[in-house]
Amino acid sequence: MTGPFKPRDPRVVPRFAGVSTFLRLPLHDDPADVDALIVGAPFDGGTTYRPGARFGPRAVREASALTRGYHPDPGIDLFEALRCADGGDVACVPMDLGLSLDRIEARVRQIAEAGAVAALVGGDHTCALPAVRALAKVHGPLGVVHFDAHSDTYPPAWGMDPHHGTVFRNMVEEGLLRPQDVLQIGVRGPFSGADDLGFARRAGFTLFSAEDVHRSLDAVIARIAALPPGPYYVSFDVDGVDPSMAPGTGTPVPGGFFSWQALAMLRATRALDVVGCDVVELSPDLDEGGRTALLAANVLAETLAAVAARRRSKL
Ligand SMILES: [Mn+2]
C-alpha cells in the first residue's frame, strides 16, 4: 500500500489553484493501492438528443474544487475512512461505441479484480453498461439503485442497441442483474406510450417517480435501506434531479426530485454493499453557472461516503 490518498490541504493550496482532479485527490493509476478508484469515461456516443457529456469528467474535476471530506451524516471523514484516488480517464473513442464500451469494461474489471470500488464519471449513460458487465463478472449479478428521469429500458433507436436509453434493458437481457433488487427512482412522464415502463415492470424492477420522492421521501429511503444483501451498483443520471437544479444535461425532464433529496437518498445506500457507482449525463456546455457539475461532484462524494460508512459499520 502506498500514498496517503488525501486531497491537497486547501489551507496550503487554495481550492482554485493547481491541476483539477476528482475530489482534489491524487492521480493514481493502480487500483490495488486504493479502496475506491474514480475514473472518467468521457464518451457521449450513445446520446440520442443533445450531446456533450463527453466533457463531463473534466467539469466534475473542476467542480471538485468545492468538495469536502467530512460528512456530518453519518459522521465520517471520507478520506480518512476510504483510500480514494483519481484514476484518470478511459481512452474512449468518440466515433466507436463498441470500442469505447470495451475499454470502459476492461478498466472497471481491472479495478474490481483488485478489490476496489469502481466509481465512474461519465459520459452518457451508455457507460454504465460496460461497468455493470465488468462488475457482474467479478461479483455476480447486481442489484441497482438507479436515479434517473428515464427508465433506460427502451427499445433500440435507428437500429442502434445499446444507446444511452437502453442500458438497463441490456443488463437484464445479458443476465447481469438481480431484477427484483433494482430500484429506479425519479422516472417520470410524459412518456412516448403507455407501455414505456412495461419492460422495467415485467423485469421486476421497483419504480418510484420523482413525485413519489417529493410526497414520500422517507418511504423511498426506507425501501433503499431494506434492499436484501448482495452486491449493488449505484447509478446516478443527473437528469433525475429537477432541471432547475440540474440544467446541464442532454435530455432534461421537468418535475424532478431536488438535490437535497438526491443526497439524502444516496446516504441511504450505506445499508448496501456497493461495488461500483457512476454519475452520468452531465453536459457542461448546457450547464448554467456550473451548478450541475457541482451537483455531480457532490453526488460522487456522497456515494463514496456511503461506501465508507458501510465499511465502518462492518468493522
Ligand atoms: Mn439514464
Side-chain angles (χ1 to χ4, degrees), residues 49-284:
Y49 192 53
R50 301 187 295 183
R54 70 179 63 176
F55 296 106
R58 188 159 281 207
V60 171
R61 287 192 175 95
E62 188 170 330
S64 288
L66 274 176
T67 55
R68 294 173 169 88
Y70 184 76
H71 292 246
D73 176 12
I76 201 160
D77 188 309
L78 167 58
F79 305 114
E80 295 290 341
L82 210 65
R83 291 166 302 168
C84 303
D86 181 333
D89 288 340
V90 177
C92 296
V93 182
M95 64 289 291
D96 193 322
L97 189 145
L99 187 56
S100 297
L101 267 52
D102 287 348
R103 290 181 177 184
I104 294 167
E105 180 178 344
R107 180 61 159 153
V108 173
R109 185 159 183 175
Q110 180 205 21
I111 295 167
E113 286 178 341
V117 170
L120 203 62
V121 178
D124 73 47
H125 220 147
T126 322
C127 300
L129 177 59
V132 168
R133 283 174 176 157
L135 293 167
K137 280 174 183 151
V138 175
H139 297 284
L142 302 169
V144 182
V145 184
H146 170 205
F147 302 94
D148 203 323
H150 313 89
S151 173
D152 291 358
T153 50
Y154 305 127
W158 317 297
M160 289 298 292
D161 193 10
H163 60 71
H164 73 155
T166 69
V167 288
F168 289 89
R169 173 176 56 76
N170 303 122
M171 291 174 200
V172 171
E173 291 172 348
E174 295 180 24
L176 309 176
L177 303 183
R178 305 188 310 276
Q180 72 281 5
D181 299 341
V182 175
L183 304 186
Q184 297 196 306
I185 302 169
V187 178
R188 54 195 182 266
F191 298 107
S192 302
D195 195 46
D196 261 22
L197 302 181
F199 181 91
R201 294 212 166 99
R202 286 189 292 276
F205 294 1
T206 299
L207 284 89
F208 293 103
S209 68
E211 190 172 332
D212 291 333
V213 173
H214 282 287
R215 293 185 187 279
S216 311
L217 175 64
D218 290 345
V220 178
I221 285 173
R223 186 69 180 79
I224 295 169
L227 282 164
Y232 281 87
Y233 187 75
V234 176
S235 190
F236 195 101
D237 185 327
V238 295
D239 71 25
V241 178
D242 191 77
S244 62
M245 296 180 175
T249 193
T251 321
V253 184
F257 50 74
F258 291 168
S259 53
W260 71 268
Q261 294 167 326
L263 298 174
M265 291 187 284
L266 286 168
R267 269 173 227 133
T269 65
R270 76 177 82 149
L272 310 174
D273 286 318
V274 173
V275 296
C277 62
D278 67 46
V279 55
V280 296
E281 297 287 350
L282 164 65
S283 199

